[in-house]
Amino acid sequence: MPEGHTIHRLARDLRRDLVDTELEASSPQGRFASGAKSLDGQVLTATEAAGKHLFLHAGPNLTLYIHLGLIGKFRRFEASTNRGDAVRLRFEREDFAWSLTGPHTCRLIEPPEVEEIIARLGPDPLRRRSSPDQFIDKAAKSNKAIGALLLDQNVIAGIGNVYRSELLFLAGIHPATPAKNLDGGVVRKIWDTTVELLRLGVRLDRIVTVTRADANGTKPGRLGPDNRLYAYKRTGEPCRRCDTPIATAPIAGRSIWWCPRCQPAR
DNA sequence: GCTGCATGATGAA
DNA sequence: TCATCCTGCAGCA
């Protein structure tokens, strides 16, 4: 589930649940035993998300750095449903627990590394002061397909495989279009849409891109599991706007989906 | 029960 | 570009 919206939502939920409290940390599965031991008893001071990277600050020089990767999850369980198994890190409370499974990265780092990680990311549409300028500049100079560029975290941080298909659908751009062929205004518009969609994703805690108009008046939050997206994984199904079958092909090593009519090749 | 895939990133080739 | 890592679960026998 992890694109940028997931991580920012986690930062928010973990902040509400755990900031200013003493952590009760353990590593049931054992792979983070020493880290959990270091965190145990520390007070969580702040949480922070940058792109798909999550930072839990426990004091001025101790930060837990988590990247969920493709299959990682960080979930909140009621105490009664709290299960062990593959849990890399658990924060236990009286009534609930946060359980981290399958993360790509989970380790303790110090402030300089936090800065390095954030510095090498492209602008994150969900961070307050981020500006699209760098993204627009890089796009203007890139020979890469826009479908590939949107996945490059050094160019724009937080977009994943679902959002890249959906953003290009909404922009009416064929995913194989070289980024530098796109007008700056078009790229800026992609950014604006990304801000909008990621924010909605944080609020709903799920990816929804279909607009009200295309959902026949149904509120996006009420859309069923099969009508929240325009293109992603809809191979052969009719486009929600023009009924043309959705196409797919690999770009940057992963499948992308588009509507051949709404997003014609140029 | 087993296989393969998944909203990701990396290091080797 | 490809294999690899991490886990869970849909789809299949």
Side-chain angles (χ1 to χ4, degrees):
Chain A
M1 326 247 290
E3 295 194 24
H5 69 297
T6 305
I7 310 309
H8 282 261
R9 175 63 184 244
L10 275 172
R12 189 170 104 185
D13 291 347
L14 287 161
R15 183 179 308 132
R16 279 191 191 153
D17 268 6
L18 299 175
V19 159
D20 291 334
T21 70
E22 211 171 276
L23 297 171
E24 186 179 328
S26 62
S27 178
Q29 161 245 44
R31 292 195 195 209
F32 192 56
S34 68
K37 198 166 180 180
S38 303
L39 285 169
D40 194 46
Q42 300 295 317
V43 172
L44 187 69
T45 54
T47 68
E48 180 178 11
K52 300 172 188 169
H53 306 257
L54 177 64
F55 304 97
L56 305 189
H57 304 292
N61 289 307
L62 182 66
T63 294
L64 175 63
Y65 168 40
I66 292 169
H67 193 297
L68 293 180
L70 184 58
I71 64 171
K73 290 189 168 71
F74 206 172
R75 290 170 292 186
R76 189 187 198 274
F77 292 98
E78 298 304 310
S80 55
T81 62
N82 194 7
R83 296 168 34 74
D85 308 27
V87 176
R88 180 86 56 99
L89 172 65
R90 168 174 297 149
F91 292 133
E92 194 85 47
R93 305 284 293 176
E94 199 167 311
D95 299 329
F96 60 86
W98 280 92
S99 292
L100 174 70
T101 56
H104 178 268
T105 305
C106 170
R107 58 192 172 86
L108 296 171
I109 62 177
E110 295 190 2
E113 195 175 350
V114 176
E115 296 314 310
E116 281 168 33
I117 292 164
I118 295 176
R120 65 169 183 259
L121 291 174
D124 174 350
L126 284 174
R127 277 172 80 99
R128 294 197 183 287
R129 281 165 312 173
S130 51
S131 140
D133 296 349
Q134 277 186 53
F135 167 55
I136 293 167
D137 287 351
K138 284 183 180 169
K141 292 171 188 154
S142 175
N143 291 316
K144 280 166 108 176
I146 184 66
L149 205 72
L150 292 181
L151 273 192
D152 186 340
Q153 303 299 303
N154 304 323
V155 172
I156 180 169
I159 295 175
N161 209 29
V162 178
Y163 280 119
R164 76 162 172 164
S165 283
E166 299 298 302
L167 287 163
L168 292 176
F169 176 89
L170 287 166
I173 296 166
H174 191 285
T177 312
K180 68 178 183 185
N181 291 3
L182 297 172
D183 184 80
V186 169
V187 177
R188 180 172 294 271
K189 192 148 191 195
I190 293 176
W191 169 273
D192 292 340
T193 308
T194 309
V195 171
E196 226 173 273
L197 290 185
L198 284 174
R199 281 187 185 160
L200 182 67
V202 172
R203 189 166 358 126
L204 300 177
D205 205 8
R206 110 186 345 153
I207 300 175
V208 176
T209 62
V210 174
T211 62
R212 206 167 293 201
D214 291 318
N216 297 322
T218 311
K219 282 191 176 180
R222 302 224 169 173
L223 292 173
D226 297 326
N227 56 3
R228 294 183 189 123
L229 306 175
Y230 285 106
Y232 178 75
K233 266 195 179 167
R234 297 193 65 236
T235 312
E237 292 179 50
C239 171
R240 301 198 190 285
R241 288 187 176 161
C242 76
D243 281 347
T244 303
I246 297 295
T248 184
I251 289 189
R254 306 177 71 191
S255 293
I256 190 166
W257 291 262
W258 73 96
C259 169
R261 180 162 170 184
C262 297
Q263 302 164 258
R266 336 189 161 186

